[in-house]
Amino acid sequence: MRRLLTAAALATLLAGCDSLFTAPKPTATQPPTTTGTVASTGGTYLYVFNGLGKTIDEIDLKTLQVTKGIMTTGLYPNHFATEGAVTYLVNSGDADVYKLDLRARAKLDTLLLPTGANPMSLNLVSGGQGLVVNYMSRDLAWFNLGTKALEATVSVPAGAPGGGAAVAGGKVYVPAVEATYGGPPTYAATYTFSGVHVYDVATRARLKTIALADDALASYFAPGDISTDPAGRVVVTVQEGLAVIDPATDTVVRTIAFGAPAHSVQYVSATRAYASAGGGMVSFSPETGEIRRGVADRIASGGGNFKVFGETAYVTNFASDSIRMIDLKTEAATGSDLLVGDGPQDLTFVTVAD
């Protein structure tokens, strides 16, 4: 029987895997944490939601000042998606999606899903559509983001989708896996299905299922983080690294083997990208598939989810309640870790004009 994915359960589950969340406690020499009114200055702000604390924190990237608890989340938040000034926050436990203006610290609206759907992510699709991936109900919910109307629900034919979706070439790609999981310390998985389902954006019809090896998709209840690279290829994280899909043929055209499960793939350029693997960050060329830094030579980041702005990666460290900054020019930590709320998970950026 499948369980609801809670932040606490996920943290416990991951604690013994790949040395995730092993960062030391950060020092307290950062700018002071404050609370108060919205700052009037422009610039780029980093937001992090804290799964255990059910709070959202704000970090001014000019000053690195952290303002804790500017807003609250729903139960078991799982994903941020930002477009302009609007951010969507997916709450798995409450089966809803908040529409937020983070800089104004305002909740604008709520998109409702069926009880128990366990939404994991939201993708912003062309034409004002929002695509929500539901883990427990094993389906895709298509919303009109302007009217909040749930326009269609499409079943996933095999496996449970948990790693989100990617949009490329007028199609949506959704990884899914069917497995039973053992207990600690290894949480070993027995697989019966592993693949990527492909849907047409316009008709929402399933076009194809791209089969992968039975043990290919990443396990630990979060199968297959998925993204698109600068050339428009679809990249899905698998047990040993990455599988690259050409949307023109919907076939796997390349695998990039780090030797460990990967997640949080971020692209800096056509020739440089990073992922979390083996408890740190690895790097590779999206253009050629060449591994620049593998697991043996990984960047000491703590191994959490991360996002990139400019030449800095901001890495969540769930266990130490902090954000580590990695200078991507030197590929080393820079400054002191930023202290945030209880159980940081996902990050997003909002830029405000001066």
Side-chain angles (χ1 to χ4, degrees):
M1 182 175 73
R2 293 192 176 273
R3 317 185 268 172
L4 198 70
L5 289 178
T6 70
L10 186 58
T12 301
L13 194 63
L14 288 170
C17 305
D18 302 323
S19 302
L20 265 68
F21 314 130
T22 56
K25 285 288 184 180
T27 59
T29 58
Q30 65 182 79
T33 298
T34 64
T35 59
T37 59
V38 181
S40 60
T41 56
T44 299
Y45 295 81
L46 172 63
Y47 295 89
V48 54
F49 69 70
N50 307 300
L52 298 182
K54 297 193 292 185
T55 57
I56 299 172
D57 300 339
E58 178 185 85
I59 301 168
D60 184 337
L61 294 188
K62 285 183 180 177
T63 64
L64 297 184
Q65 179 173 288
V66 179
T67 305
K68 292 186 178 181
I70 65 159
M71 298 186 74
T72 58
T73 73
L75 184 62
Y76 313 144
N78 257 315
H79 182 239
F80 266 147
T82 296
E83 185 174 50
V86 174
T87 297
Y88 295 90
L89 171 65
V90 178
N91 298 302
S92 293
D94 290 329
D96 62 21
V97 178
Y98 289 172
K99 182 179 180 180
L100 307 172
D101 183 334
L102 291 171
R103 284 298 296 134
R105 303 177 187 178
K107 182 178 175 183
L108 306 176
D109 227 326
T110 303
L111 308 179
L112 300 177
L113 292 143
T115 301
N118 196 200
M120 298 297 291
S121 66
L122 179 141
N123 278 76
L124 300 164
V125 187
S126 61
Q129 300 177 82
L131 174 66
V132 179
V133 174
N134 295 317
Y135 180 77
M136 289 293 283
S137 57
R138 302 190 182 206
D139 56 34
L140 311 177
W142 295 80
F143 280 91
N144 181 314
L145 296 176
T147 66
K148 297 193 304 177
L150 176 57
E151 295 186 336
T153 301
V154 180
S155 296
V156 172
V167 181
K171 293 175 284 189
V172 172
Y173 294 78
V174 181
V177 66
E178 189 68 53
T180 57
Y181 298 87
T186 63
Y187 300 96
T190 300
Y191 295 86
T192 57
F193 171 80
S194 182
V196 178
H197 302 299
V198 186
Y199 297 82
D200 185 270
V201 168
T203 66
R204 299 164 185 167
R206 184 173 63 90
L207 303 174
K208 183 178 182 178
T209 295
I210 303 168
L212 297 172
D214 287 345
D215 63 349
L217 289 177
S219 60
Y220 314 126
F221 300 98
D225 287 0
I226 193 165
S227 59
T228 54
D229 72 13
R233 293 175 291 250
V234 176
V235 179
V236 60
T237 60
V238 296
Q239 284 284 21
E240 295 300 310
L242 305 172
V244 182
I245 296 168
D246 181 354
T249 61
D250 285 337
T251 58
V252 176
V253 294
R254 177 186 296 153
T255 56
I256 303 172
F258 300 124
H263 63 96
S264 295
V265 180
Q266 296 286 297
Y267 305 95
V268 178
S269 70
T271 59
R272 188 158 56 106
Y274 295 85
S276 284
M281 285 170 59
V282 295
S283 66
F284 66 99
S285 169
E287 185 176 66
T288 65
E290 174 194 2
I291 296 174
R292 302 285 176 78
R293 292 187 68 157
V295 170
D297 188 33
R298 62 190 178 273
I299 302 165
S301 67
N305 293 327
F306 71 94
K307 296 287 175 65
V308 171
F309 183 80
E311 286 285 348
T312 303
Y314 298 85
V315 189
T316 62
N317 285 285
F318 194 97
S320 62
D321 299 335
S322 64
I323 305 294
R324 177 163 295 176
M325 296 176 291
I326 304 295
D327 184 336
L328 297 179
K329 294 178 181 177
T330 63
E331 296 189 336
T334 179
S336 299
D337 291 356
L338 304 173
L339 306 181
V340 294
D342 193 2
Q345 288 179 253
D346 199 13
L347 306 161
T348 195
F349 301 97
V350 176
T351 299
V352 180
D354 285 311

